[in-house]
Amino acid sequence: MTLERKLSNRTARVAVIGLGYVGLPQAVTIAEAGFQVTGIDLDPERVGSLRAERSYVGDIPSARLRAVIRNGRFAARTDFTMLGTADVVTICVPTPLSKTKDPDVSYIRAATAQMASALRRGQLIVLESTTYPGTTVEILKPALEATGLTAGRDFFLAFSPERIDPGNRRFTVRNTPKIVGGLTQRCTRLAVAFYRRFVERVVPVSSPGTAEMAKLLENTFRSINIALVNELAMMCDVLGVDVYEVIEAAATKPFGFMPFYPGPGLGGHCIPVDPEYLAWKLKAFDFTARFIGLAGEINAQMPQVVVAKVAEALNAAGKSVNGARLLVLGAAYKPNVGDVRESPAVTVVALLNQRGARVGYHDPFVPTLRVNGTSLASVRLTARLISAQDAVIILTNHDTFDIRSIVARARMVVDTRNATRGLMQFRDKIVKLGAPSLLLEALRAKGEAA
Ligand SMILES: NC(=O)c1ccc[n+]([C@@H]2O[C@H](COP(=O)([O-])OP(=O)(O)OC[C@H]3O[C@@H](n4cnc5c(N)ncnc54)[C@H](O)[C@@H]3O)[C@@H](O)[C@H]2O)c1
Protein backbone atom coordinates (compact mmCIF):
# COMPACT_ATOMS: atom_id res chain seq x y z
CA MET A 1 0.00 0.00 0.00
CA THR A 2 1.37 3.47 -0.84
CA LEU A 3 2.12 5.95 1.93
CA GLU A 4 -0.60 8.27 0.52
CA ARG A 5 -3.15 5.51 1.02
CA LYS A 6 -1.87 4.58 4.49
CA LEU A 7 -2.14 8.23 5.49
CA SER A 8 -5.65 8.61 4.15
CA ASN A 9 -6.94 5.45 5.84
CA ARG A 10 -4.83 6.11 8.95
CA THR A 11 -3.06 2.77 8.88
CA ALA A 12 0.36 4.48 8.63
CA ARG A 13 2.51 3.69 11.69
CA VAL A 14 4.03 6.78 13.25
CA ALA A 15 7.13 7.17 15.42
CA VAL A 16 7.88 10.34 17.38
CA ILE A 17 11.51 10.67 18.52
CA GLY A 18 11.85 12.87 21.63
CA LEU A 19 8.91 13.05 24.04
CA GLY A 20 9.29 16.47 25.65
CA TYR A 21 7.15 19.61 25.59
CA VAL A 22 6.88 19.22 21.81
CA GLY A 23 6.96 15.48 21.11
CA LEU A 24 4.53 14.27 23.76
CA PRO A 25 1.59 16.57 22.89
CA GLN A 26 2.18 15.77 19.24
CA ALA A 27 2.32 11.99 19.77
CA VAL A 28 -0.89 12.03 21.82
CA THR A 29 -2.67 14.22 19.25
CA ILE A 30 -1.63 11.92 16.37
CA ALA A 31 -2.84 8.88 18.35
CA GLU A 32 -6.14 10.63 19.04
CA ALA A 33 -6.48 11.18 15.28
CA GLY A 34 -6.54 7.38 14.88
CA PHE A 35 -2.93 6.49 14.05
CA GLN A 36 -0.82 3.95 15.85
CA VAL A 37 2.02 5.94 17.46
CA THR A 38 5.23 4.85 19.14
CA GLY A 39 7.02 7.49 21.16
CA ILE A 40 10.76 7.01 21.59
CA ASP A 41 12.81 8.78 24.25
CA LEU A 42 16.26 8.04 25.66
CA ASP A 43 15.20 9.11 29.13
CA PRO A 44 14.05 5.97 30.99
CA GLU A 45 12.38 8.05 33.69
CA ARG A 46 10.17 9.81 31.15
CA VAL A 47 9.30 6.58 29.38
CA GLY A 48 8.64 4.88 32.75
CA SER A 49 6.29 7.70 33.70
CA LEU A 50 4.42 7.42 30.39
CA ARG A 51 4.11 3.66 30.78
CA ALA A 52 2.63 4.26 34.21
CA GLU A 53 0.13 6.55 32.41
CA ARG A 54 1.51 9.64 34.17
CA SER A 55 2.03 12.74 32.05
CA TYR A 56 4.88 15.13 32.89
CA VAL A 57 3.83 17.78 30.37
CA GLY A 58 1.24 20.24 31.70
CA ASP A 59 -0.66 20.49 28.41
CA ILE A 60 -1.35 16.75 28.35
CA PRO A 61 -3.49 15.66 31.30
CA SER A 62 -2.77 12.06 32.36
CA ALA A 63 -6.37 11.17 31.43
CA ARG A 64 -5.66 11.97 27.75
CA LEU A 65 -2.50 9.90 27.87
CA ARG A 66 -4.28 7.01 29.56
CA ALA A 67 -7.02 6.99 26.91
CA VAL A 68 -4.59 6.56 23.99
CA ILE A 69 -2.49 3.98 25.84
CA ARG A 70 -5.54 1.94 26.76
CA ASN A 71 -7.04 1.99 23.29
CA GLY A 72 -3.72 0.68 21.98
CA ARG A 73 -2.84 3.73 19.89
CA PHE A 74 0.17 4.95 21.90
CA ALA A 75 3.16 3.24 23.47
CA ALA A 76 6.45 4.70 24.72
CA ARG A 77 9.84 3.05 24.59
CA THR A 78 13.53 3.78 25.04
CA ASP A 79 14.75 1.65 22.12
CA PHE A 80 14.59 2.38 18.42
CA THR A 81 13.73 -1.11 17.17
CA MET A 82 10.37 -0.15 15.69
CA LEU A 83 11.81 2.60 13.45
CA GLY A 84 12.21 0.11 10.60
CA THR A 85 8.47 -0.58 10.56
CA ALA A 86 7.39 3.05 10.94
CA ASP A 87 5.89 4.80 7.90
CA VAL A 88 6.32 8.32 9.27
CA VAL A 89 8.95 9.49 11.76
CA THR A 90 9.00 12.92 13.35
CA ILE A 91 12.10 14.14 15.18
CA CYS A 92 11.43 16.41 18.19
CA VAL A 93 14.75 16.36 20.05
CA PRO A 94 16.31 19.35 21.86
CA THR A 95 18.40 22.01 20.11
CA PRO A 96 20.18 23.88 22.90
CA LEU A 97 23.23 26.13 22.78
CA SER A 98 26.67 24.93 23.77
CA LYS A 99 28.64 26.68 26.54
CA THR A 100 30.10 28.97 23.89
CA LYS A 101 26.57 29.82 22.65
CA ASP A 102 26.95 27.86 19.43
CA PRO A 103 24.15 25.58 18.19
CA ASP A 104 24.33 22.11 19.70
CA VAL A 105 22.87 19.88 16.99
CA SER A 106 24.29 16.69 18.54
CA TYR A 107 20.77 15.50 19.47
CA ILE A 108 19.63 15.92 15.86
CA ARG A 109 22.71 14.04 14.64
CA ALA A 110 22.13 11.20 17.12
CA ALA A 111 18.43 10.82 16.23
CA THR A 112 19.30 10.95 12.51
CA ALA A 113 21.91 8.21 12.97
CA GLN A 114 19.27 6.00 14.63
CA MET A 115 16.93 6.74 11.74
CA ALA A 116 19.59 5.97 9.13
CA SER A 117 20.27 2.55 10.61
CA ALA A 118 16.59 1.64 10.20
CA LEU A 119 15.84 3.50 6.95
CA ARG A 120 13.81 1.72 4.27
CA ARG A 121 12.00 2.68 1.07
CA GLY A 122 8.77 4.66 1.34
CA GLN A 123 9.35 6.25 4.76
CA LEU A 124 8.62 9.91 5.47
CA ILE A 125 11.00 11.62 7.91
CA VAL A 126 10.21 15.07 9.27
CA LEU A 127 12.49 17.16 11.45
CA GLU A 128 10.54 19.41 13.84
CA SER A 129 13.28 20.68 16.17
CA THR A 130 13.98 24.40 15.80
CA THR A 131 17.32 24.83 14.06
CA TYR A 132 19.35 26.96 11.65
CA PRO A 133 18.44 27.13 7.95
CA GLY A 134 20.21 24.34 6.11
CA THR A 135 20.05 21.66 8.82
CA THR A 136 17.67 19.34 6.94
CA VAL A 137 19.69 19.46 3.74
CA GLU A 138 23.16 19.61 5.30
CA ILE A 139 22.78 17.15 8.20
CA LEU A 140 19.78 14.85 7.66
CA LYS A 141 19.93 14.37 3.89
CA PRO A 142 23.57 13.20 3.65
CA ALA A 143 23.34 11.02 6.77
CA LEU A 144 20.20 9.29 5.49
CA GLU A 145 21.47 9.02 1.91
CA ALA A 146 24.67 7.34 3.15
CA THR A 147 22.46 4.24 3.32
CA GLY A 148 22.36 4.19 -0.49
CA LEU A 149 18.73 5.37 -0.63
CA THR A 150 17.92 8.71 -2.28
CA ALA A 151 15.80 11.39 -0.61
CA GLY A 152 12.76 12.40 -2.66
CA ARG A 153 12.81 9.13 -4.60
CA ASP A 154 13.29 6.23 -2.17
CA PHE A 155 12.33 7.98 1.04
CA PHE A 156 10.84 11.38 1.81
CA LEU A 157 12.28 14.20 3.87
CA ALA A 158 10.79 17.46 5.16
CA PHE A 159 11.15 20.12 7.82
CA SER A 160 8.10 21.26 9.74
CA PRO A 161 8.74 23.61 12.68
CA GLU A 162 6.85 22.97 15.87
CA ARG A 163 5.04 26.04 17.14
CA ILE A 164 3.54 24.72 20.35
CA ASP A 165 3.09 27.28 23.11
CA PRO A 166 3.12 25.39 26.43
CA GLY A 167 0.34 26.52 28.74
CA ASN A 168 -1.69 28.05 25.91
CA ARG A 169 -5.19 26.61 26.14
CA ARG A 170 -6.52 28.41 23.08
CA PHE A 171 -3.89 27.30 20.55
CA THR A 172 -2.86 23.65 20.60
CA VAL A 173 -1.23 21.19 18.16
CA ARG A 174 -4.59 20.87 16.39
CA ASN A 175 -5.46 24.49 15.69
CA THR A 176 -2.02 26.06 15.24
CA PRO A 177 -1.25 26.19 11.50
CA LYS A 178 1.71 23.98 10.55
CA ILE A 179 4.35 25.04 8.04
CA VAL A 180 5.79 22.22 5.89
CA GLY A 181 8.78 22.40 3.56
CA GLY A 182 9.77 19.18 1.76
CA LEU A 183 12.96 18.43 -0.09
CA THR A 184 10.95 17.77 -3.26
CA GLN A 185 7.34 18.47 -4.20
CA ARG A 186 6.43 14.87 -3.45
CA CYS A 187 8.07 15.13 -0.01
CA THR A 188 6.00 18.26 0.68
CA ARG A 189 2.78 16.64 -0.60
CA LEU A 190 3.27 13.60 1.65
CA ALA A 191 4.16 15.67 4.70
CA VAL A 192 1.11 17.90 4.09
CA ALA A 193 -1.08 14.79 3.77
CA PHE A 194 0.26 13.55 7.10
CA TYR A 195 -0.21 16.76 9.09
CA ARG A 196 -3.67 17.38 7.59
CA ARG A 197 -4.88 14.32 9.50
CA PHE A 198 -4.44 16.07 12.85
CA VAL A 199 -3.80 19.80 12.21
CA GLU A 200 -6.58 22.07 10.95
CA ARG A 201 -4.42 24.14 8.59
CA VAL A 202 -1.20 23.10 6.91
CA VAL A 203 0.89 25.68 5.04
CA PRO A 204 3.24 24.24 2.39
CA VAL A 205 6.37 26.22 1.50
CA SER A 206 8.87 25.67 -1.29
CA SER A 207 11.80 24.16 0.67
CA PRO A 208 13.01 22.95 4.08
CA GLY A 209 15.19 26.08 4.29
CA THR A 210 12.14 28.35 4.01
CA ALA A 211 10.38 26.41 6.77
CA GLU A 212 13.49 26.54 8.98
CA MET A 213 13.87 30.28 8.41
CA ALA A 214 10.14 30.99 9.00
CA LYS A 215 10.39 29.51 12.50
CA LEU A 216 13.47 31.60 13.26
CA LEU A 217 11.74 34.74 11.98
CA GLU A 218 8.84 34.09 14.38
CA ASN A 219 11.08 33.73 17.42
CA THR A 220 13.54 36.47 16.43
CA PHE A 221 10.55 38.80 15.96
CA ARG A 222 9.51 38.08 19.56
CA SER A 223 13.01 38.48 20.95
CA ILE A 224 13.49 41.85 19.23
CA ASN A 225 10.08 43.21 20.20
CA ILE A 226 10.53 42.13 23.81
CA ALA A 227 13.94 43.84 23.82
CA LEU A 228 12.33 46.97 22.41
CA VAL A 229 9.75 47.17 25.21
CA ASN A 230 12.35 46.27 27.83
CA GLU A 231 14.40 49.24 26.65
CA LEU A 232 11.24 51.33 26.49
CA ALA A 233 10.63 50.47 30.16
CA MET A 234 14.12 51.79 30.99
CA MET A 235 13.41 54.96 28.97
CA CYS A 236 10.10 55.42 30.81
CA ASP A 237 11.92 55.07 34.14
CA VAL A 238 14.18 57.94 33.13
CA LEU A 239 11.32 60.06 31.81
CA GLY A 240 8.84 59.33 34.62
CA VAL A 241 6.23 57.90 32.27
CA ASP A 242 4.26 54.67 32.82
CA VAL A 243 5.36 52.15 30.17
CA TYR A 244 2.19 50.08 30.57
CA GLU A 245 -0.05 53.06 29.97
CA VAL A 246 2.08 53.93 26.93
CA ILE A 247 1.76 50.41 25.47
CA GLU A 248 -2.00 50.22 26.13
CA ALA A 249 -2.47 53.60 24.47
CA ALA A 250 -0.38 52.62 21.42
CA ALA A 251 -2.25 49.31 21.17
CA THR A 252 -5.51 51.13 20.47
CA LYS A 253 -4.17 51.68 16.96
CA PRO A 254 -6.12 49.11 14.95
CA PHE A 255 -3.35 48.46 12.41
CA GLY A 256 0.43 48.33 12.26
CA PHE A 257 1.06 47.82 15.98
CA MET A 258 1.23 44.75 18.18
CA PRO A 259 1.68 45.09 21.95
CA PHE A 260 4.59 43.40 23.75
CA TYR A 261 5.29 43.85 27.45
CA PRO A 262 8.48 44.29 29.46
CA GLY A 263 9.61 41.68 31.96
CA PRO A 264 12.54 40.33 33.98
CA GLY A 265 14.24 38.75 30.97
CA LEU A 266 13.76 35.97 28.45
CA GLY A 267 13.41 32.31 29.33
CA GLY A 268 12.47 28.94 27.91
CA HIS A 269 14.00 26.76 25.27
CA CYS A 270 13.05 28.99 22.34
CA ILE A 271 13.20 32.80 22.41
CA PRO A 272 16.62 33.19 24.08
CA VAL A 273 18.12 30.34 22.03
CA ASP A 274 16.67 30.24 18.52
CA PRO A 275 17.86 33.66 17.24
CA GLU A 276 21.40 32.57 18.18
CA TYR A 277 21.06 29.65 15.75
CA LEU A 278 20.38 32.10 12.94
CA ALA A 279 23.15 34.50 13.96
CA TRP A 280 25.62 31.59 14.17
CA LYS A 281 24.75 30.34 10.70
CA LEU A 282 25.22 33.80 9.20
CA LYS A 283 28.69 34.18 10.72
CA ALA A 284 29.93 31.63 8.18
CA PHE A 285 28.89 34.14 5.48
CA ASP A 286 30.63 37.05 7.25
CA PHE A 287 27.22 38.46 8.02
CA THR A 288 26.62 39.95 11.48
CA ALA A 289 23.00 39.69 12.61
CA ARG A 290 22.97 43.04 14.41
CA PHE A 291 19.33 43.15 15.54
CA ILE A 292 19.68 39.67 17.06
CA GLY A 293 22.83 40.65 18.92
CA LEU A 294 21.40 43.87 20.31
CA ALA A 295 18.11 42.27 21.37
CA GLY A 296 20.04 39.45 23.08
CA GLU A 297 22.14 41.99 24.99
CA ILE A 298 19.19 44.06 26.18
CA ASN A 299 17.14 41.03 27.20
CA ALA A 300 20.09 39.40 28.98
CA GLN A 301 20.62 42.49 31.12
CA MET A 302 17.04 42.51 32.48
CA PRO A 303 17.78 40.42 35.61
CA GLN A 304 20.34 43.08 36.58
CA VAL A 305 17.75 45.79 35.93
CA VAL A 306 15.34 43.95 38.25
CA VAL A 307 17.98 43.64 40.97
CA ALA A 308 18.80 47.35 40.67
CA LYS A 309 15.09 48.10 41.05
CA VAL A 310 14.87 45.91 44.16
CA ALA A 311 17.89 47.71 45.63
CA GLU A 312 16.34 51.10 44.84
CA ALA A 313 13.05 50.10 46.44
CA LEU A 314 14.72 48.76 49.59
CA ASN A 315 16.84 51.88 49.77
CA ALA A 316 13.70 54.04 49.66
CA ALA A 317 12.51 52.14 52.73
CA GLY A 318 15.87 52.72 54.44
CA LYS A 319 17.08 49.17 53.91
CA SER A 320 19.83 47.45 52.00
CA VAL A 321 19.85 44.34 49.85
CA ASN A 322 22.43 42.89 52.23
CA GLY A 323 20.44 41.09 54.89
CA ALA A 324 17.03 41.78 53.31
CA ARG A 325 14.40 39.03 53.42
CA LEU A 326 13.05 38.66 49.93
CA LEU A 327 10.44 36.40 48.41
CA VAL A 328 10.46 35.71 44.68
CA LEU A 329 7.03 34.83 43.32
CA GLY A 330 7.21 32.63 40.23
CA ALA A 331 10.36 30.81 39.10
CA ALA A 332 9.10 29.44 35.76
CA TYR A 333 9.94 31.54 32.72
CA LYS A 334 6.29 32.16 31.91
CA PRO A 335 2.86 31.86 33.54
CA ASN A 336 1.12 28.56 34.21
CA VAL A 337 3.99 26.23 33.29
CA GLY A 338 6.77 24.62 35.33
CA ASP A 339 9.56 25.15 32.79
CA VAL A 340 12.63 26.83 34.33
CA ARG A 341 15.00 26.43 31.37
CA GLU A 342 16.87 29.75 30.92
CA SER A 343 14.45 31.31 33.42
CA PRO A 344 15.55 34.80 34.51
CA ALA A 345 14.41 33.87 38.04
CA VAL A 346 17.55 31.77 38.45
CA THR A 347 19.78 34.76 37.64
CA VAL A 348 17.74 37.18 39.76
CA VAL A 349 17.93 34.87 42.81
CA ALA A 350 21.67 34.29 42.25
CA LEU A 351 22.39 38.05 41.97
CA LEU A 352 20.38 38.85 45.10
CA ASN A 353 22.11 36.06 47.02
CA GLN A 354 25.49 37.43 45.93
CA ARG A 355 24.49 40.79 47.42
CA GLY A 356 23.73 39.21 50.78
CA ALA A 357 19.93 38.96 50.60
CA ARG A 358 18.07 36.02 52.12
CA VAL A 359 15.98 34.91 49.17
CA GLY A 360 13.19 32.35 49.12
CA TYR A 361 10.87 31.56 46.27
CA HIS A 362 7.37 30.27 45.75
CA ASP A 363 6.13 28.61 42.59
CA PRO A 364 3.32 26.05 42.59
CA PHE A 365 4.69 24.57 39.33
CA VAL A 366 8.35 24.42 40.38
CA PRO A 367 8.93 22.40 43.57
CA THR A 368 12.71 22.82 43.49
CA LEU A 369 15.05 25.27 41.76
CA ARG A 370 18.80 24.94 41.24
CA VAL A 371 20.72 28.17 41.73
CA ASN A 372 24.52 28.09 41.49
CA GLY A 373 24.62 24.39 42.26
CA THR A 374 22.34 24.64 45.31
CA SER A 375 18.84 23.24 45.29
CA LEU A 376 16.16 25.52 46.76
CA ALA A 377 12.67 24.31 47.64
CA SER A 378 9.56 26.34 46.91
CA VAL A 379 8.30 27.76 50.21
CA ARG A 380 4.68 27.53 51.30
CA LEU A 381 2.88 30.81 50.65
CA THR A 382 1.27 31.90 53.91
CA ALA A 383 0.06 35.27 55.15
CA ARG A 384 2.78 35.17 57.81
CA LEU A 385 5.53 34.42 55.32
CA ILE A 386 4.46 37.29 53.05
CA SER A 387 4.26 39.88 55.82
CA ALA A 388 7.69 38.82 57.16
CA GLN A 389 9.44 39.78 53.89
CA ASP A 390 11.12 43.11 53.27
CA ALA A 391 9.93 42.79 49.67
CA VAL A 392 8.01 40.41 47.45
CA ILE A 393 9.32 40.27 43.87
CA ILE A 394 6.84 39.15 41.22
CA LEU A 395 8.78 37.51 38.38
CA THR A 396 6.04 35.29 36.91
CA ASN A 397 2.34 35.94 37.24
CA HIS A 398 0.78 32.47 37.42
CA ASP A 399 -3.02 32.60 37.25
CA THR A 400 -3.21 30.82 40.61
CA PHE A 401 -1.60 33.72 42.48
CA ASP A 402 -4.06 35.81 44.46
CA ILE A 403 -2.18 39.02 43.74
CA ARG A 404 -4.56 41.28 45.67
CA SER A 405 -4.19 39.37 48.93
CA ILE A 406 -0.42 38.99 48.44
CA VAL A 407 -0.01 42.73 47.90
CA ALA A 408 -2.32 43.52 50.82
CA ARG A 409 -0.06 41.55 53.16
CA ALA A 410 3.32 42.50 51.71
CA ARG A 411 5.38 45.41 53.01
CA MET A 412 6.69 46.16 49.55
CA VAL A 413 6.19 44.62 46.09
CA VAL A 414 8.54 44.81 43.13
CA ASP A 415 6.30 43.87 40.21
CA THR A 416 8.14 43.03 36.98
CA ARG A 417 5.00 41.83 35.12
CA ASN A 418 2.38 44.47 35.82
CA ALA A 419 0.54 41.79 37.79
CA THR A 420 -0.63 44.49 40.24
CA ARG A 421 -2.41 46.62 37.66
CA GLY A 422 -5.63 48.04 39.03
CA LEU A 423 -4.54 47.79 42.68
CA MET A 424 -4.40 51.56 43.09
CA GLN A 425 -5.08 51.45 46.83
CA PHE A 426 -1.68 49.80 47.35
CA ARG A 427 0.35 51.95 45.00
CA ASP A 428 2.48 53.46 47.74
CA LYS A 429 4.17 50.08 48.24
CA ILE A 430 4.37 48.85 44.64
CA VAL A 431 7.44 49.42 42.46
CA LYS A 432 7.34 48.44 38.78
CA LEU A 433 9.79 48.37 35.90
CA GLY A 434 9.16 51.43 33.76
CA ALA A 435 6.47 53.07 35.85
CA PRO A 436 6.56 56.00 38.30
CA SER A 437 6.50 54.88 41.94
CA LEU A 438 5.20 56.91 44.86
CA LEU A 439 7.77 55.24 47.07
CA LEU A 440 10.74 56.18 44.91
CA GLU A 441 9.39 59.63 44.07
CA ALA A 442 8.97 60.52 47.74
CA LEU A 443 12.62 59.66 48.35
CA ARG A 444 13.75 61.63 45.29
CA ALA A 445 11.74 64.67 46.39
CA LYS A 446 13.31 64.46 49.87
CA GLY A 447 16.79 64.28 48.34
CA GLU A 448 16.15 67.24 46.07
CA ALA A 449 14.76 69.35 48.92
CA ALA A 450 17.77 68.63 51.14
N1 LIG B 1 9.22 23.84 24.34
C1 LIG B 1 8.67 24.64 23.45
O1 LIG B 1 7.85 25.48 23.78
C2 LIG B 1 9.00 24.50 21.97
C3 LIG B 1 8.14 25.10 21.04
C4 LIG B 1 8.43 24.98 19.70
C5 LIG B 1 9.58 24.31 19.29
N2 LIG B 1 10.42 23.76 20.23
C6 LIG B 1 11.59 23.05 19.73
O2 LIG B 1 11.31 21.65 19.74
C7 LIG B 1 12.47 20.90 20.08
C8 LIG B 1 12.21 20.05 21.30
O3 LIG B 1 11.94 20.87 22.40
P1 LIG B 1 11.27 20.36 23.74
O4 LIG B 1 10.91 21.59 24.50
O5 LIG B 1 10.21 19.34 23.45
O6 LIG B 1 12.53 19.63 24.42
P2 LIG B 1 12.53 18.64 25.68
O7 LIG B 1 13.88 18.72 26.27
O8 LIG B 1 11.32 18.93 26.52
O9 LIG B 1 12.30 17.21 25.05
C9 LIG B 1 13.19 16.58 24.20
C10 LIG B 1 13.20 15.10 24.52
O10 LIG B 1 14.05 14.45 23.58
C11 LIG B 1 14.73 13.40 24.23
N3 LIG B 1 15.90 13.03 23.42
C12 LIG B 1 17.08 13.69 23.29
N4 LIG B 1 17.85 13.07 22.39
C13 LIG B 1 17.16 11.99 21.96
C14 LIG B 1 17.44 10.97 21.01
N5 LIG B 1 18.58 10.94 20.32
N6 LIG B 1 16.51 10.01 20.82
C15 LIG B 1 15.36 10.03 21.51
N7 LIG B 1 15.02 10.99 22.40
C16 LIG B 1 15.91 11.96 22.61
C17 LIG B 1 15.04 13.95 25.60
O11 LIG B 1 15.26 12.91 26.53
C18 LIG B 1 13.77 14.77 25.90
O12 LIG B 1 12.80 14.01 26.62
C19 LIG B 1 13.57 21.93 20.25
O13 LIG B 1 14.24 22.09 19.03
C20 LIG B 1 12.82 23.19 20.58
O14 LIG B 1 13.55 24.36 20.22
C21 LIG B 1 10.14 23.83 21.55
Side-chain angles (χ1 to χ4, degrees), residues 396-413:
T396 311
N397 48 342
H398 293 307
D399 289 348
T400 50
F401 289 154
D402 181 351
I403 295 291
R404 171 182 284 271
S405 83
I406 291 168
V407 176
R409 288 178 170 85
R411 289 188 215 161
M412 185 197 293
V413 176

Side-chain angles (χ1 to χ4, degrees), residues 219 222-224 226-227 230 263-268 270-273 275 295-296 299-300 302-303 333 341-345 417:
N219 285 358
R222 283 189 65 75
S223 170
I224 288 173
I226 292 168
N230 279 338
L266 292 183
C270 299
I271 314 294
V273 172
N299 290 328
M302 291 314 290
Y333 80 92
R341 290 177 297 181
E342 314 279 330
S343 176
R417 299 283 190 178

Side-chain angles (χ1 to χ4, degrees), residues 94-409:
T95 43
L97 292 173
S98 70
K99 284 210 173 79
T100 52
K101 299 245 172 207
D102 290 336
D104 174 2
V105 289
S106 60
Y107 300 90
I108 293 183
R109 285 190 197 281
T112 306
Q114 291 289 356
M115 189 59 240
S117 62
L119 191 68
R120 63 167 176 81
R121 277 172 208 281
Q123 287 180 312
L124 168 66
I125 294 119
V126 189
L127 177 62
E128 299 223 5
S129 303
T130 308
T131 181
Y132 56 78
T135 307
T136 308
V137 170
E138 293 161 17
I139 295 181
L140 275 80
K141 182 174 179 282
L144 296 172
E145 287 189 335
T147 57
L149 299 179
T150 300
R153 190 188 69 199
D154 302 322
F155 69 95
F156 308 100
L157 183 60
F159 182 81
S160 178
E162 181 51 59
R163 286 168 150 171
I164 203 159
D165 181 19
N168 191 329
R169 288 185 205 114
R170 188 161 162 229
F171 290 106
T172 60
V173 173
R174 255 188 220 109
N175 63 359
T176 305
K178 196 95 170 81
I179 295 173
V180 170
L183 196 72
T184 62
Q185 283 183 3
R186 177 123 193 257
C187 294
T188 305
R189 264 204 315 279
L190 282 168
V192 169
F194 168 59
Y195 287 108
R196 277 226 176 103
R197 302 285 157 224
F198 61 96
V199 181
E200 285 169 16
R201 184 168 167 233
V202 182
V203 184
V205 294
S206 64
S207 67
T210 305
E212 288 160 340
M213 190 67 164
K215 171 73 187 181
L216 294 182
L217 168 62
E218 291 166 19
N219 285 358
T220 302
F221 172 85
R222 283 189 65 75
S223 170
I224 288 173
N225 278 286
I226 292 168
L228 175 64
V229 290
N230 279 338
E231 191 172 59
L232 188 80
M234 293 182 233
M235 293 178 197
C236 285
D237 259 345
V238 171
L239 297 172
V241 177
D242 184 331
V243 71
Y244 298 102
E245 201 185 351
V246 170
I247 296 170
E248 292 312 333
T252 58
K253 187 180 177 188
F255 49 89
F257 184 83
M258 185 186 280
F260 282 81
Y261 298 94
L266 292 183
H269 190 333
C270 299
I271 314 294
V273 172
D274 302 346
E276 299 295 333
Y277 267 66
L278 183 53
W280 175 87
K281 178 71 183 174
L282 288 158
K283 271 190 209 158
F285 297 88
D286 289 329
F287 187 107
T288 305
R290 286 178 293 165
F291 264 122
I292 291 176
L294 182 59
E297 257 172 56
I298 293 174
N299 290 328
Q301 111 195 38
M302 291 314 290
Q304 275 94 336
V305 173
V306 172
V307 168
K309 194 57 108 178
V310 172
E312 206 183 349
L314 287 170
N315 182 50
K319 294 176 184 167
S320 67
V321 178
N322 190 358
R325 288 179 67 125
L326 304 173
L327 176 70
V328 163
L329 267 191
Y333 80 92
K334 70 174 190 171
N336 311 323
V337 300
D339 194 348
V340 293
R341 290 177 297 181
E342 314 279 330
S343 176
V346 176
T347 315
V348 169
V349 172
L351 290 171
L352 290 168
N353 277 337
Q354 270 168 23
R355 285 159 180 72
R358 288 178 286 164
V359 192
Y361 87 94
H362 171 76
D363 192 317
F365 297 93
V366 183
T368 58
L369 184 70
R370 279 198 85 73
V371 179
N372 283 345
T374 308
S375 185
L376 305 179
S378 171
V379 294
R380 216 160 65 83
L381 197 62
T382 62
R384 232 167 110 191
L385 177 92
I386 296 167
S387 56
Q389 305 301 312
D390 292 305
V392 172
I393 306 163
I394 302 174
L395 293 186
T396 311
N397 48 342
H398 293 307
D399 289 348
T400 50
F401 289 154
D402 181 351
I403 295 291
R404 171 182 284 271
S405 83
I406 291 168
V407 176
R409 288 178 170 85

Side-chain angles (χ1 to χ4, degrees), residues 17-22 40-43 46 80 92-95 107 110-111 129-130 162 164 166 215 269-270 341:
I17 303 181
L19 298 171
Y21 289 90
V22 164
I40 303 172
D41 201 294
L42 292 176
D43 183 343
R46 285 195 153 177
F80 294 77
C92 308
V93 295
T95 43
Y107 300 90
S129 303
T130 308
E162 181 51 59
I164 203 159
K215 171 73 187 181
H269 190 333
C270 299
R341 290 177 297 181

